[in-house]
Amino acid sequence: MSENKKTLSLLERMKQKAVGQKSYGGEYIEEPAKVNARTCPNCGAGRAEQDGLTHCAYCSFEFLSVKLTDGINIKKEDNSQTI
Amino acid sequence: MSNPLLEPIHGISLYDYAAVSAKMASGIDPKSIYKALGIEPAVFEEASALWVTRMQEDSTFEVTILFGQYFSEADKHPKLNGLQAEVSEEGKANLEKLKTDRYFYEELCGARQAAYEYGLDGAQWIQDNFGISLGDFQAVAMKWSEVQAQDIHNNTENIHHFVDYQQKKQAEYAAKFASEQGGNVADDVEF
Amino acid sequence: MSGFFKNGSEDSRIIVVRKEMNETKERFFTFIEKLEDKLREFTAASIPELTELNNTDPDQFKRGYHRMKAAVLGQLDSIQKKALDVKEEKIAGYAFSSDDHEVSKVYLEFRNECYDRYFQFDELYARCRQEVEDTYAEDFELQYQKILDEHESIKDKFRCKQCGSPITIDRIYFTTTYITCPACQTRNTFEPSTQAKMLEHIGRSLAEQRTRHLLKEHDEIPEKTQALYLQRHHLELSLIQENDKKIIEQKTAEIHALEKQHQELESTRPALYQKYLRAMFDEWNKINPALADEHEKFYIRLLNDYAK
């Protein structure tokens, strides 16, 4: 009986330690889905589909400094044509 | 570039991807990483998912091997080398020692393993006690594994030496963690 | 025979050695038995705790549960290490005069018995570890269902940040993406929830879970062919003593039939693997069609690896 008690108290301590400690990378926070829209920080214009994603159609501000390839949803056609 | 599996995705090369992964693992805010590369999360998340599929497709493991190599060279990345996680002076000194002192590296490997066996998050334990992030630790580990790979051909004695040393250190840390939790379950059983 | 020419003093020497070794053996057996009790008791006590934690850990990666499981396994390891250390020190390192052939023989007998006992212990240890590992369970169906339900509830909830018109999330996105407002053409940035970002990952695990019966069918073949081989082997052995021509003929036919069955079974193996792999990838593609092309390349690679 006392043997059993010893085991249970060891397990209890182990459990408290396992659950109570900080995890590397911090606690897990479930973020909900969200929608945002970026406007050009230079001229304030929105990003319209026909103008592409990489540059502002009005002032050529560079939103993305990479050349887009065919990815999952983003495609080559999303490179802005204005530059 | 002969291997099409190594072509950049949305302009993000394998080196970019590996360096970003290393920087994120060392606790750097993704926002500042994206800014340094001139990209947005949408671009990186697609590239990241697709780099994983490139590794899956690649039966030669070239992509995966290069990824490991680049991961440990994140600090040399021209656009990302300025991004350093906030590290204490002690942490910096420990990281330097980890890079140069094989014994210290083996000791921490043993300690981390012992920590896991005593229900501790080993990565967090290293961070708390030595101020070294998981990303930095993994990057150094890759360097030492290259040394180890060389030893396989011409210095197996060295391999045994460090395996023994790590095991000895692991046992020391295990004893310490055991006493902190009030002993091991079979301490009262004697021969 | 070797004992026949021995004188009395030699025999009594052996008796003493044997007695000492027996004592050590008894002590070793008792020690191992106590450790086995610990293994059983500790495993039995930890399983309900782990099962509960596996079900209730609020962390997405169940990190609390994993730490606890690692700690329980660590304790089992500490028991095993204790047994191993004593085995090395008291049995393998047992001091005796090794140049005495008779003593060496007694020692080897003693050592074998102790090693056999240790081996039994080690098997129990492995079973306990497995029981602890088996407390880990993930309900991928449930995780996927949560993603589906969430999509259903959010897909018409958002409005364009520029003009306020409704925008529809037309499918489950697992990466952040740009969605064009149908009214003003503004590219809105849609960021999926944390759980939806896991879609590709959960998708593979779920697909594997849904098709594991097919993999099992494939994996069971070596066992089945082994059974056929043994059956055949027995028949072949029985032929050695057989003189009856009719029985020989009958058994030889049976052997041929078994051989054929064996070959047939073996030849279905690649097809069964392909059947599993195809079904698994079909499921995965259904769950995350956005990467279907990439999955297909992975499928071909795995199939090629198998053929190698």
Side-chain angles (χ1 to χ4, degrees):
Chain A
M1 190 61 201
S2 78
E3 269 300 295
N4 197 19
K5 262 190 192 156
K6 258 196 324 204
T7 304
L8 288 178
S9 86
L10 175 63
L11 270 172
E12 191 49 43
R13 267 176 285 143
M14 282 164 60
K15 188 164 124 187
Q16 276 167 7
K17 185 165 76 175
V19 178
Q21 69 182 278
K22 190 177 152 199
S23 296
Y24 189 82
E27 290 320 302
Y28 165 66
I29 304 155
E30 170 75 47
E31 291 283 348
K34 21 186 180 298
V35 162
N36 272 303
R38 206 173 158 188
T39 48
C40 174
N42 198 33
C43 73
R47 275 161 118 179
E49 173 155 42
Q50 67 274 16
D51 304 328
L53 285 165
T54 55
H55 292 80
C56 173
Y58 302 94
C59 72
S60 294
F61 172 81
E62 191 179 68
F63 283 111
L64 301 170
S65 51
V66 289
K67 191 160 183 259
L68 301 170
T69 51
D70 282 334
I72 303 170
N73 301 303
I74 304 169
K75 304 287 173 198
K76 262 194 249 159
E77 295 71 47
D78 290 315
N79 287 298
S80 303
Q81 302 298 317
T82 49
I83 42 141
Chain B
M1 205 169 290
S2 53
N3 187 347
L5 291 178
L6 296 172
E7 289 291 332
I9 301 165
H10 292 326
I12 296 173
S13 68
L14 182 57
Y15 186 22
D16 296 336
Y17 171 57
V20 171
S21 306
K23 290 289 170 192
M24 283 186 181
S26 64
I28 291 172
D29 181 15
K31 280 196 202 110
S32 55
I33 297 175
Y34 299 147
K35 203 173 157 213
L37 286 177
I39 55 170
E40 292 174 7
V43 173
F44 181 74
E45 287 171 30
E46 284 204 2
S48 167
L50 291 170
W51 273 116
V52 172
T53 67
R54 292 263 182 98
M55 292 187 202
Q56 289 169 337
E57 185 188 339
D58 175 23
S59 60
T60 67
F61 295 100
E62 190 183 355
V63 182
T64 311
I65 292 164
L66 275 174
F67 174 86
Q69 198 179 311
Y70 291 149
F71 187 96
S72 64
E73 289 166 5
D75 276 339
K76 293 184 200 147
H77 191 284
K79 286 184 181 164
L80 300 174
N81 58 5
L83 299 173
Q84 296 294 339
E86 269 194 46
V87 181
S88 64
E89 281 309 310
E90 195 200 349
K92 273 185 205 154
N94 281 331
L95 181 59
E96 241 353 87
K97 198 175 174 200
L98 196 72
K99 286 179 190 165
T100 52
D101 181 349
R102 177 83 184 263
Y103 288 98
F104 184 58
Y105 167 71
E106 297 291 347
E107 175 176 342
L108 292 202
C109 286
R112 188 169 64 164
Q113 189 55 33
Y116 280 119
E117 285 176 8
Y118 281 85
L120 295 163
D121 183 323
Q124 186 63 40
W125 188 84
I126 296 274
Q127 175 81 67
D128 289 345
N129 291 278
F130 295 91
I132 301 171
S133 73
L134 180 62
D136 286 339
F137 198 99
Q138 293 306 96
V140 176
M142 277 174 206
K143 282 284 165 208
W144 285 121
S145 76
E146 281 168 27
V147 175
Q148 174 106 337
Q150 299 259 305
D151 282 349
I152 287 177
H153 302 295
N154 48 34
N155 198 351
T156 48
E157 217 169 272
N158 217 27
I159 294 180
H160 292 304
H161 174 70
F162 283 114
V163 166
D164 289 347
Y165 185 77
Q166 189 187 113
Q167 279 175 351
K168 197 182 103 200
K169 284 291 161 189
Q170 186 178 334
E172 281 173 27
Y173 279 96
K176 177 179 162 297
F177 294 134
S179 82
E180 280 170 13
Q181 74 167 20
N184 288 325
V185 64
D187 278 351
D188 53 340
V189 179
E190 290 300 337
F191 177 71
Chain C
M1 276 304 280
S2 61
F4 188 72
F5 299 103
K6 278 180 198 153
N7 59 37
S9 71
E10 257 183 351
D11 275 343
S12 66
R13 183 175 50 77
I14 293 293
I15 288 167
V16 170
V17 167
R18 201 186 283 281
K19 188 167 169 273
E20 279 170 3
M21 287 187 189
N22 263 337
E23 277 167 14
T24 303
K25 188 180 86 182
E26 295 299 326
R27 274 178 73 191
F28 184 70
F29 277 31
T30 312
F31 171 72
I32 290 291
E33 202 176 304
K34 280 188 199 157
L35 289 182
E36 285 180 338
D37 288 344
K38 288 281 181 187
L39 276 179
R40 284 193 202 95
E41 188 198 10
F42 190 71
T43 305
S46 65
I47 282 174
E49 297 278 358
L50 285 169
T51 306
E52 200 212 322
L53 208 50
N54 177 68
N55 293 333
T56 56
D57 193 338
D59 187 85
Q60 188 195 18
F61 305 106
K62 296 188 184 179
R63 286 178 289 189
Y65 161 80
H66 283 294
R67 284 194 290 263
M68 174 74 175
K69 191 178 78 164
V72 168
L73 291 172
Q75 284 301 298
L76 298 184
D77 291 350
S78 80
I79 298 175
Q80 193 242 13
K81 186 165 185 316
K82 201 161 188 172
L84 188 67
D85 286 348
V86 166
K87 187 191 88 163
E88 288 306 307
E89 188 196 329
K90 308 284 183 187
I91 312 301
Y94 188 90
F96 67 100
S97 124
S98 55
D99 24 309
D100 186 325
H101 178 64
E102 286 301 314
V103 174
S104 290
K105 250 174 71 183
V106 178
Y107 169 72
L108 282 181
E109 213 174 279
F110 151 81
R111 199 184 68 178
N112 282 346
E113 282 180 64
C114 292
Y115 278 16
D116 282 349
R117 187 67 188 83
Y118 177 81
F119 184 68
Q120 284 174 13
F121 163 87
D122 216 32
E123 280 186 324
L124 176 68
Y125 159 73
R127 279 202 302 279
C128 288
R129 271 194 76 98
Q130 194 55 52
E131 279 177 44
V132 169
E133 292 284 3
D134 288 346
T135 58
Y136 178 62
E138 285 282 7
D139 190 341
F140 295 112
E141 292 289 355
L142 181 73
Q143 291 180 28
Y144 179 48
Q145 193 55 48
K146 277 188 192 164
I147 296 173
L148 292 176
D149 292 347
E150 180 194 56
H151 177 69
E152 217 35 60
S153 74
I154 64 157
K155 65 177 189 194
D156 297 316
K157 201 187 86 176
F158 295 104
R159 289 184 171 270
C160 172
K161 287 286 163 185
Q162 188 74 13
C163 75
S165 302
I167 45 175
T168 307
I169 311 303
D170 61 339
R171 68 196 98 148
I172 302 174
Y173 290 98
F174 74 103
T175 57
T176 301
T177 198
Y178 303 102
I179 294 177
T180 304
C181 168
C184 74
Q185 306 298 308
T186 292
R187 278 295 187 78
N188 287 264
T189 309
F190 172 71
E191 185 185 357
S193 69
T194 322
Q195 64 175 359
K197 284 186 178 179
M198 298 290 287
L199 181 71
E200 167 71 352
H201 182 71
I202 290 170
R204 181 172 176 188
S205 301
L206 178 55
E208 284 172 347
Q209 208 170 59
R210 283 178 177 172
T211 53
R212 67 181 158 199
H213 59 284
L214 294 174
L215 182 61
K216 198 169 161 242
E217 237 177 89
H218 164 267
D219 290 348
E220 276 170 356
I221 289 190
E223 212 178 294
K224 286 182 185 163
T225 51
Q226 175 67 8
L228 288 174
Y229 168 77
L230 285 177
Q231 249 178 294
R232 212 174 69 207
H233 187 64
H234 281 303
L235 282 172
E236 279 165 353
L237 285 181
S238 70
L239 278 181
I240 299 170
Q241 306 284 348
E242 193 56 68
N243 294 318
D244 188 325
K245 239 182 162 182
K246 216 173 147 196
I247 293 181
I248 292 176
E249 250 170 54
Q250 191 193 333
K251 283 191 175 176
T252 310
E254 265 180 70
I255 289 169
H256 286 316
L258 285 168
E259 239 167 56
K260 206 174 154 214
Q261 233 179 309
H262 188 142
Q263 277 163 6
E264 275 168 5
L265 211 49
E266 202 57 67
S267 68
T268 59
R269 238 184 128 193
L272 281 178
Y273 183 72
Q274 189 169 1
K275 186 175 155 201
Y276 155 71
L277 217 53
R278 190 63 265 162
M280 195 281 271
F281 275 84
D282 285 346
E283 284 294 325
W284 195 6
N285 288 341
K286 255 192 274 169
I287 297 163
N288 193 14
L291 288 183
D293 288 350
E294 285 75 17
H295 293 164
E296 216 47 35
K297 291 175 191 161
F298 187 20
Y299 165 78
I300 290 166
R301 180 234 155 147
L302 289 177
L303 216 52
N304 287 339
D305 282 356
Y306 185 85
K308 271 178 203 163

